[in-house]
């Protein structure tokens, strides 16, 4: 996650990677080193795409998972998915996780967030809410297959803000809405939302690449976003799923502020050299209990928490999977290996994006050589 606002120094936000987690769990079993503790993105109602037979976790089972995550010193759990309110115990789970010292976030399309639910989430200790706004009302409704989706999302933003929960607008960039960033940014300003997140579509989630945005279009969108971050420092602007965004920011700012561009590259290079593969890593947990190594690899299952705890799965299987992937992927392909910016973002891209995805999607990286 690249914190554009921090790199531009438009606000007092330390570091270039947005602090989803404060990195200081309150669990009494907190280990001496937290660099290998992932952020857990948990869709509590969806099954994974692997046709597994695991049943959806009960309330008691879900609470046991939260207990295990807290004991394992996982800092942040993000309950995600547009259908998460299918779980009537969602607020109960948020409260249970918060009571165990976990930072609980929610991310969905904002539907079914009534005033009472907004108040309930605040009382349960929810730390942050991300609500999807994916363009104009017409485009957003079409993408979410609900006639009132845009209205529901903006209403949810107001309710969450009034409840006192920090909120963010999440915009997933894809081919069908690449020209509509300004509509989402307009919602941010009209509803006084303190944060904006641009998410690049993950290529593996769309094997036909129908949602993938051409590189030139993506750069245009990013430059529009960078200009917004400069003009509205009260809004924290971040991007996810493409670490090269930091380099694009340095390229963009170089024309008006070469010293700032140099400073951005220094920050990125330092962070790249210090980042261990599992630091700040986001892993996926589906409602059926399947644990996936990252959000690029939903087809790979490390284990199932019906059979063993998350902490055991992570400690025993993740390093083994990562080592096997490195051996399988081998060196960077020719295009990536010759990138003059490789030293700037270093291991952040290779560790976060398997080569099988890069090879299957020629528009994903395509850096601007300067």
């Amino acid at each position: 996650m690249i914190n554009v606002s921090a790199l531009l120094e438009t606000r007092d936000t330390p570091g270039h990677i947005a602090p989803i987690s404060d990195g200081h769990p309150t669990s009494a079993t907190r280990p001496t080193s937290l660099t290998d503790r992932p952020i857990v993105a948990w869709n509590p109602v969806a099954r994974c795409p692997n046709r597994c037979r695991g049943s959806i976790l009960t309330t008691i089972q879900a609470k046991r998972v939260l207990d295990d995550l807290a004991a394992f010193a996982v800092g942040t759990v993000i309950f995600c998915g547009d259908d998460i309110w299918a779980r009537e115990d969602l607020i109960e789970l948020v409260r249970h996780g918060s009571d165990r010292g976990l930072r609980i976030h929610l991310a969905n399309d904002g539907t079914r967030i009534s005033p009472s639910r907004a108040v309930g989430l605040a009382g349960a200790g929810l730390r942050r809410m991300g609500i999807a706004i994916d363009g104009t009302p017409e485009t957003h409704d079409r993408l979410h297959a609900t006639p009132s989706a845009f209205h529901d999302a903006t209403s949810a933003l107001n309710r969450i803000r009034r409840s006192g929960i920090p909120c963010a607008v999440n915009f997933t960039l894809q081919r069908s809405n690449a020209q509509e960033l300004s509509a989402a940014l307009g919602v941010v300003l009209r509803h006084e939302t303190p944060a904006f997140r641009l998410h690049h579509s993950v290529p593996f989630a769309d094997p036909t690449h129908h949602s993938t945005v051409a590189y030139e279009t993506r750069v245009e969108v990013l430059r529009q976003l960078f200009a917004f971050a400069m003009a509205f420092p009260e809004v924290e602007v971040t991007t996810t799923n493409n670490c090269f965004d930091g380099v694009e920011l340095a390229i963009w700012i170089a024309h008006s502020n070469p010293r700032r561009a140099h400073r951005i590259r220094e920050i990125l290079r330092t962070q790249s050299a210090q980042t261990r593969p599992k630091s700040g890593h986001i892993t996926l947990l589906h409602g059926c209990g399947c644990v996936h190594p990252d959000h690029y690899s939903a087809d790979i299952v490390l284990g199932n928490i019906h059979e063993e705890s998350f902490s055991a799965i992570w400690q025993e299987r993740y390093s083994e999977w990562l080592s096997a992937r490195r051996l399988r992927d081998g060196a960077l392909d020719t295009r990536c290996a010759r990138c003059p910016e490789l030293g700037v973002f270093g291991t952040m891209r290779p560790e976060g994006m398997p080569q099988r995805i890069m090879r299957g999607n020629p528009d994903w990286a395509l850096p601007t050589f300067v």
Side-chain angles (χ1 to χ4, degrees):
M1 181 177 287
I2 301 298
N3 192 317
V4 175
S5 298
L7 284 172
L8 292 174
E9 294 190 351
T10 60
R11 52 190 288 128
D12 295 329
T13 306
H16 81 278
I17 295 181
I20 288 181
S21 169
D22 57 11
H24 298 286
T26 57
S27 170
T29 58
R30 173 184 169 189
T32 56
S33 174
L34 300 178
T35 55
D36 60 349
R37 297 307 189 253
I39 294 165
V40 176
W42 184 356
N43 188 322
V45 297
R47 295 181 180 277
C48 73
N50 300 294
R51 299 180 181 179
C52 68
R53 297 181 179 180
S55 59
I56 299 299
L57 299 172
T58 66
T59 300
I60 292 176
Q61 290 172 326
K63 286 182 176 180
R64 288 174 181 167
V65 172
L66 291 169
D67 291 344
D68 176 56
L69 295 177
F72 191 47
V74 167
T76 300
V77 175
I78 306 172
F79 286 121
C80 56
D82 291 347
D83 53 353
I84 53 177
W85 288 107
R87 287 202 71 118
E88 297 181 355
D89 60 354
L90 182 61
I91 292 178
E92 183 179 352
L93 295 179
V94 171
R95 179 177 292 106
H96 186 85
S98 298
D99 289 346
R100 297 301 185 274
L102 295 167
R103 291 172 57 92
I104 305 295
H105 296 187
L106 254 62
N108 82 331
D109 61 0
T111 57
R112 300 176 65 182
I113 299 181
S114 63
S116 61
R117 280 176 170 168
V119 172
L121 289 170
L126 185 69
R127 301 295 291 270
R128 177 171 294 192
M129 179 81 194
I131 295 177
I133 299 289
D134 290 318
T136 63
E138 295 77 15
T139 297
H140 182 89
D141 288 355
R142 183 177 71 254
L143 290 174
H144 292 266
T146 304
S148 63
F150 185 87
H151 176 268
D152 292 343
T154 53
S155 297
L157 277 173
N158 291 331
R159 290 164 182 162
I160 291 296
R161 182 168 55 85
R162 287 195 295 266
S163 73
I165 301 171
C167 56
V169 164
N170 295 333
F171 176 84
T172 300
L173 178 62
Q174 48 195 301
R175 192 176 302 174
S176 59
N177 69 356
Q179 306 302 323
E180 300 186 11
L181 175 65
S182 59
L185 295 176
V187 171
V188 171
L189 298 179
R190 288 194 301 274
H191 294 269
E192 301 178 349
T193 308
F196 178 84
R197 312 282 185 250
L198 184 146
H199 301 268
H200 294 277
S201 294
V202 177
F204 186 78
D206 178 27
T208 61
H209 310 317
H210 288 163
S211 297
T212 303
V213 179
Y215 173 73
E216 293 78 9
T217 302
R218 191 167 69 246
V219 170
E220 292 178 6
V221 171
L222 286 173
R223 291 175 178 175
Q224 182 182 355
L225 183 63
F226 299 157
F228 176 87
M230 289 287 289
F232 299 97
E234 67 274 18
V235 180
E236 182 188 51
V237 174
T238 60
T239 72
T240 67
N241 296 340
N242 195 331
C243 293
F244 204 81
D245 288 353
V247 177
E248 292 291 0
L249 177 61
I251 294 170
W252 175 79
I253 199 71
H255 300 289
S256 60
N257 192 338
R259 294 184 64 181
R260 168 52 39 190
H262 178 72
R263 175 60 179 157
I264 288 173
R265 280 191 166 88
E266 283 186 336
I267 294 172
L268 293 171
R269 188 176 291 108
T270 299
Q271 183 68 28
S272 172
Q274 294 176 349
T275 299
R276 290 177 55 182
K278 292 179 282 186
S279 178
H281 189 93
I282 297 180
T283 186
L284 287 184
L285 173 59
H286 274 101
C288 55
C290 288
V291 177
H292 310 278
D294 56 35
H295 54 310
Y296 304 116
S297 307
D299 61 326
I300 298 173
V301 179
L302 297 181
N304 191 292
I305 53 179
H306 281 293
E307 301 169 359
E308 54 186 326
S309 67
F310 176 92
S311 56
I313 293 171
W314 190 259
Q315 292 181 99
E316 295 172 7
R317 312 267 173 72
Y318 177 78
S319 294
E320 178 182 346
W321 167 81
L322 183 59
S323 297
R325 194 182 80 186
R326 286 169 172 166
L327 290 172
R328 181 181 67 249
D329 289 347
L332 293 174
D333 62 27
T334 302
R335 174 167 52 97
C336 294
R338 64 184 173 85
C339 174
E341 304 286 1
L342 185 60
V344 177
F345 61 95
T347 61
M348 291 188 289
R349 205 287 308 155
E351 295 296 346
M353 182 72 74
Q355 287 291 301
R356 61 197 174 101
I357 295 176
M358 294 291 291
R359 295 186 184 112
N361 190 346
D363 282 334
W364 182 246
L366 286 178
T368 300
F369 294 155
V370 296

